[in-house]
Amino acid sequence: AQKITQTQPGMFVQEKEAVTLDCTYDTSDPSYGLFWYKQPSSGEMIFLIYQGSYDQQNATEGRYSLNFQKARKSANLVISASQLGDSAMYFCAMRVTDSWGKLQFGAGTQVVVTP
Amino acid sequence: EPEVTQTPSHQVTQMGQEVILRCVPISNHLYFYWYRQILGQKVEFLVSFYNNEISEKSEIFDDQFSVERPDGSNFTLKIRSTKLEDSAMYFCASSEARTANTEAFFGQGTRLTVV
């Protein structure tokens, strides 16, 4: 069975600072993908960044980067230079190839960016 | 950019009534999903659909739920007799493939309130 764990229910960060959101996972499938989504208060799910289990390099996408440590089964999201618009719920999710492509989500981390 | 669209954005229904939530997936996608998010909680997988049949479902997806693709473009979720605990945000997602490295695209969600 697969499991995704986000242990930080909420975080405050000051504008322009970096913030790291933790995500650990567990799966016996060697082929998996890890995704981060942002959910603002309006409710929609916005895809941020993806990391594949076989990727050699950490994924980056603008101000978002993923600190992927495969041996520790962690895939932490780093948001650099936080902006007020980054205030949202952030979900880590995993997809394994040996399934019908469903995503399994963590509990989420609420980020509040303060001026 | 192609997107998944869901209608309605909000639905209020009386307990015991049937509701149909509608989704138009991205046109060349083959895999379709419904997820549920009870307010303040994590996103939970309900069902996956491929080749006009359910490929996987969770234990949440009981006999009160059904899905269909009635006309080759719409993908619907029906709740036969709604309960108060069905109040949630429902997300439709679609994907080109079921592999771990394929992104799932989410609709903006339907907020269902059962009164």
Side-chain angles (χ1 to χ4, degrees), chain A residues 2-47:
Chain A
Q2 290 80 40
K3 192 174 176 184
I4 289 272
T5 303
Q6 293 179 257
T7 56
Q8 305 153 309
M11 297 187 74
F12 286 92
V13 59
Q14 273 205 313
E15 217 176 349
K16 301 190 180 102
E17 297 291 306
V19 62
T20 298
L21 308 183
D22 295 341
C23 174
T24 58
Y25 61 91
D26 192 23
T27 180
S28 55
D29 197 313
S31 177
Y32 53 88
L34 296 156
F35 300 79
W36 278 91
Y37 289 87
K38 173 184 177 182
Q39 187 179 42
S41 55
S42 49
E44 72 268 30
M45 297 289 283
I46 302 167
F47 166 73

Side-chain angles (χ1 to χ4, degrees), chain A residues 27-90:
Chain A
T27 180
S28 55
D29 197 313
S31 177
Y32 53 88
L34 296 156
F35 300 79
W36 278 91
Y37 289 87
K38 173 184 177 182
Q39 187 179 42
S41 55
S42 49
E44 72 268 30
M45 297 289 283
I46 302 167
F47 166 73
L48 294 177
I49 195 167
Y50 160 81
Q51 180 84 45
S53 58
Y54 295 119
D55 293 345
Q56 296 297 313
Q57 291 193 317
N58 287 340
T60 60
E61 198 71 53
R63 293 187 297 111
Y64 304 107
S65 60
L66 213 149
N67 182 2
F68 181 48
Q69 297 190 42
K70 195 169 179 177
R72 297 177 65 179
K73 293 191 173 179
S74 75
N76 299 338
L77 176 71
V78 181
I79 307 173
S80 62
S82 298
Q83 301 170 356
L84 295 177
D86 294 333
S87 294
M89 183 71 106
Y90 290 80

Side-chain angles (χ1 to χ4, degrees), chain A residues 39 50 95 99-100 102-103, chain B residues 33 35 37 56 101-102:
Chain A
Q39 187 179 42
Y50 160 81
R95 198 180 208 195
S99 78
W100 285 93
K102 72 180 181 195
L103 282 164
Chain B
Y33 308 87
Y35 293 85
Q37 184 185 29
E56 188 176 1
N101 63 346
T102 308

Side-chain angles (χ1 to χ4, degrees), chain B residues 1 5 28-30 34 40 50-51 53-54 59 63-65 69 89:
Chain B
E1 188 174 314
T5 55
N28 64 332
H29 286 185
L30 300 175
W34 284 100
Y50 170 73
N51 201 25
E53 58 183 32
I54 291 173
E59 59 262 22
D63 292 343
Q64 291 299 311
F65 292 90
R69 195 155 152 80
M89 181 78 105

